Amino acid sequence: MKSFYIYIIVMAVVMGGYSIILLKMTNKRKKGVQEWLMQNPKAAKVYIGSTSSNLLSYILTPSSISLIAIDNEKPKTFTMEGTKQVFYLTPGKHTITSSFQKSRPGILSKRVITEYEPTTQEVEVEAEKTYIYSFDKKNEQYTFTEKN
């Protein structure tokens, strides 16, 4: 019984340490994004759009866009805004490389996962505007629209 309590204490310490490291990494990323925004005050904000229309479809058929590169470089301005994924672009033309993954419940297997190969889209953004970058599952293509 004593070893059980030791195990619980060790796991609590490990989880606490892991949480602290994640918090520091998140704060460092947010600070980097804020510094970038100070240098680029006219940047456009781009939300990675939700591919599920409601909570039930989000649970039963989860899907996600993975941002791989912006202008052939690792995204520097990718961050979270609450529960939404956001990245920033300077005004002008850019290339966005991303991949898409969706899953659904299977009949004979537990889950069927469909992964789309990484593709590159060319987009153009205007200063201080907000956009939504998403994947249209029906037409199997990316969309980039201005948010009103």
Side-chain angles (χ1 to χ4, degrees), residues 132-146:
I132 299 174
Y133 181 67
S134 60
F135 188 84
D136 181 354
K137 288 192 246 183
K138 184 184 272 186
N139 297 322
E140 295 187 346
Q141 65 183 12
Y142 290 91
T143 60
F144 189 80
T145 55
E146 186 177 344

Side-chain angles (χ1 to χ4, degrees), residues 32-86:
V33 170
Q34 290 302 323
E35 288 173 1
W36 187 90
L37 285 172
M38 298 270 290
Q39 296 171 358
N40 300 281
K42 298 218 178 259
K45 180 187 282 189
V46 183
Y47 287 98
I48 294 183
S50 172
T51 53
S52 301
S53 57
N54 58 45
L55 182 61
L56 185 59
S57 67
Y58 179 78
I59 293 169
L60 295 177
T61 59
S63 57
S64 65
I65 295 174
S66 296
L67 199 58
I68 298 168
I70 298 172
D71 298 329
N72 297 319
E73 294 182 6
K74 183 179 174 188
K76 298 175 192 157
T77 61
F78 181 73
T79 188
M80 296 296 289
E81 192 175 273
T83 59
K84 297 183 181 195
Q85 298 175 334
V86 177

Side-chain angles (χ1 to χ4, degrees), residues 45 126 128-133 144-148:
K45 180 187 282 189
E126 295 178 28
E128 300 177 345
K129 292 206 174 181
T130 303
Y131 298 89
I132 299 174
Y133 181 67
F144 189 80
T145 55
E146 186 177 344
K147 184 177 178 182
N148 295 331

